[in-house]
Every structure is written in structure tokens, then in C-alpha cells.
């Protein structure tokens, strides 16, 4: 029954054949199917992700240039530790 609805919603062939082979009692009611909402023109989450990505990319190149040598060594250790933690969390 769900496969018939999915095939009809996607416009795939075989929806009618599946409906006929399943027999009576499994009719698909087209009126009960929900109409999907159209996607937004400009997804806010995508824009936020891209802005954060670009800020991080630019910041990662500019921040080390403004640091002293001793501060940069500490910075490398901290960034390496945070990176290993994040990679281990993903794995």
C-alpha cells in the first residue's frame, strides 16, 4: 500500500500494477495524500553555513599572522587538540 502511494507520488510506473495485484481493501486514496510545500527560494540554513565557512576560512589565514611566535606555538597545540577531538567524535 505504501509502495503504491510512493510510486504514484513520484510518477513512477507500476503503481497501478501493484494496486491490482494487492487486491481489494488496499485502495489508495489520493485525497488523503498531503501536498508538499515548495522549497524556500533562499534557504537560511544554507546561507548561514556558507557565511560561517567563509568567515572561518578567512579567519584561519589571518589570525596566525597577527600572533607572536610563542603564542602561535600554543595556538597550534590547541587547534590540533580540538581538531583531534572533533575528528574522533565524527569517527
Amino acid at each position: 500500500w505504501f509502495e503504491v502511494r510512493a510510486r504514484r507520488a513520484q510518477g513512477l510506473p507500476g503503481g497501478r500494477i501493484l494496486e491490482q495485484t494487492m487486491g481489494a481493501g488496499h485502495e489508495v486514496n489520493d485525497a488523503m495524500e498531503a501536498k508538499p510545500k515548495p522549497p524556500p527560494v533562499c534557504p537560511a540554513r544554507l546561507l548561514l553555513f556558507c557565511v560561517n565557512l567563509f568567515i572561518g576560512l578567512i579567519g584561519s589565514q589571518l589570525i596566525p599572522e597577527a600572533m607572536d611566535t610563542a603564542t602561535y606555538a600554543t595556538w597550534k597545540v590547541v587547534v590540533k587538540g580540538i581538531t583531534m577531538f572533533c575528528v574522533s567524535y565524527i569517527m
Side-chain angles (χ1 to χ4, degrees):
W1 183 67
F2 292 110
E3 190 173 348
V4 173
R5 290 181 73 172
R7 285 186 173 271
R8 275 196 177 174
Q10 295 173 359
L12 296 174
R16 182 67 60 193
I17 295 169
L18 284 172
E19 190 175 2
Q20 291 171 354
T21 58
M22 290 171 61
H26 294 297
E27 293 86 17
V28 177
N29 189 353
D30 290 331
M32 292 177 59
E33 292 183 14
K35 303 281 185 203
K37 290 189 329 185
V41 176
C42 188
R45 287 185 184 176
L46 179 63
L47 285 177
L48 181 64
F49 177 77
C50 290
V51 167
N52 285 336
L53 186 67
F54 290 132
I55 288 172
L57 181 65
I58 293 168
S60 70
Q61 300 301 312
L62 295 179
I63 288 175
E65 295 295 325
M67 291 184 184
D68 295 333
T69 307
T71 308
Y72 181 68
T74 306
W75 174 263
K76 279 179 28 177
V77 171
V78 170
V79 168
K80 188 174 185 177
I82 292 172
T83 303
M84 288 299 144
F85 175 77
C86 291
V87 169
S88 67
Y89 177 75
I90 291 171
M91 296 294 176

